[in-house]
Amino acid sequence: MAYFAAVLARTEDGWEVSETELDAVESLADLADLAREAAQEDDSVLVFIEQEDAWFAIVRVDGEEDPRIFVSDGAAAARSSYGSVLTDELVEQAGESEFDDLDNLVAELDDEDSASEEDEDDGPAVGPGGVPVGPLGDSEILAEFGLAAKDLVDLSGEGAVPGDALAEIADALGCGEILEAVR
């Protein structure tokens, strides 16, 4: 399946964006190293990954800190090689809770419609490997850059197109034209 991946490095002058290959990425550590290579000093670096409009992911690396991850659809990503690298890490971070406590993984939405769609007794829908269907990870990953957690989760909702979502995210960060140039 076709992937698009770009590295967005925060600099004093704004964002520098470059398309990247994920062929050598076998683990989250490999992905973090790839991001750190693009960093100027300890500035923030984002990696955008999209798979054929099935899902998107954002990985944020700040210096030597542990990477932060957000995936638009955990179950869809878990079915792909690069996505499973991310979802496996999120599952490991969640421990053995079997996702009983999703509050730590996905921002809670106060939207009554989403609350009525999910049956509390059944819990969240899960896909292969027990990975939840829908947004997974740190939804506040871009809050510092002006994109609220709720807005990021909304871009991941049902019917959202991952390529369009990444374009909207890049626009919110102020690098939409630069990202479009490398697509």
Side-chain angles (χ1 to χ4, degrees):
M1 296 191 163
Y3 291 89
F4 168 75
V7 176
L8 293 79
R10 179 104 185 218
T11 68
E12 291 178 2
D13 300 325
W15 292 95
E16 290 182 7
V17 180
S18 60
E19 187 173 8
T20 190
E21 292 293 323
L22 299 177
D23 295 340
V25 173
E26 295 179 7
S27 68
L28 182 60
D30 293 341
L31 190 58
D33 289 343
L34 179 77
R36 287 184 182 108
E37 289 173 10
Q40 292 185 0
E41 298 179 21
D42 286 338
D43 289 333
S44 298
V45 177
L46 303 174
V47 179
F48 283 6
I49 303 170
E50 176 204 350
Q51 181 192 358
E52 293 183 336
D53 280 334
W55 59 271
F56 74 86
I58 301 170
V59 178
R60 177 177 173 175
V61 177
D62 295 301
E64 293 301 316
E65 292 181 29
D66 289 339
R68 295 167 60 188
I69 306 165
F70 177 82
V71 178
S72 66
D73 186 336
R79 292 188 296 266
S80 70
S81 58
Y82 299 121
S84 66
V85 166
L86 304 175
T87 58
D88 289 351
E89 180 67 24
L90 291 169
V91 169
E92 186 176 309
Q93 288 175 6
E96 299 300 318
S97 70
E98 297 182 355
F99 298 99
D100 287 339
D101 183 8
L102 288 177
D103 292 340
N104 294 328
L105 298 174
V106 178
E108 241 184 80
L109 298 176
D110 294 329
D111 183 37
E112 290 180 17
D113 292 335
S114 66
S116 65
E117 291 175 6
E118 187 175 297
D119 184 354
E120 292 180 26
D121 296 332
D122 292 340
V126 293
V131 178
V133 173
L136 181 67
D138 183 355
S139 60
E140 295 184 6
I141 194 169
L142 301 175
E144 177 183 330
F145 304 121
L147 189 65
K150 182 182 182 330
D151 295 335
L152 182 58
V153 171
D154 286 348
L155 289 170
S156 306
E158 188 175 326
V161 178
D164 293 347
L166 287 180
E168 285 188 49
I169 293 166
D171 284 343
L173 297 175
C175 60
E177 290 179 15
I178 300 170
L179 180 66
E180 191 58 37
V182 300
R183 271 184 122 14

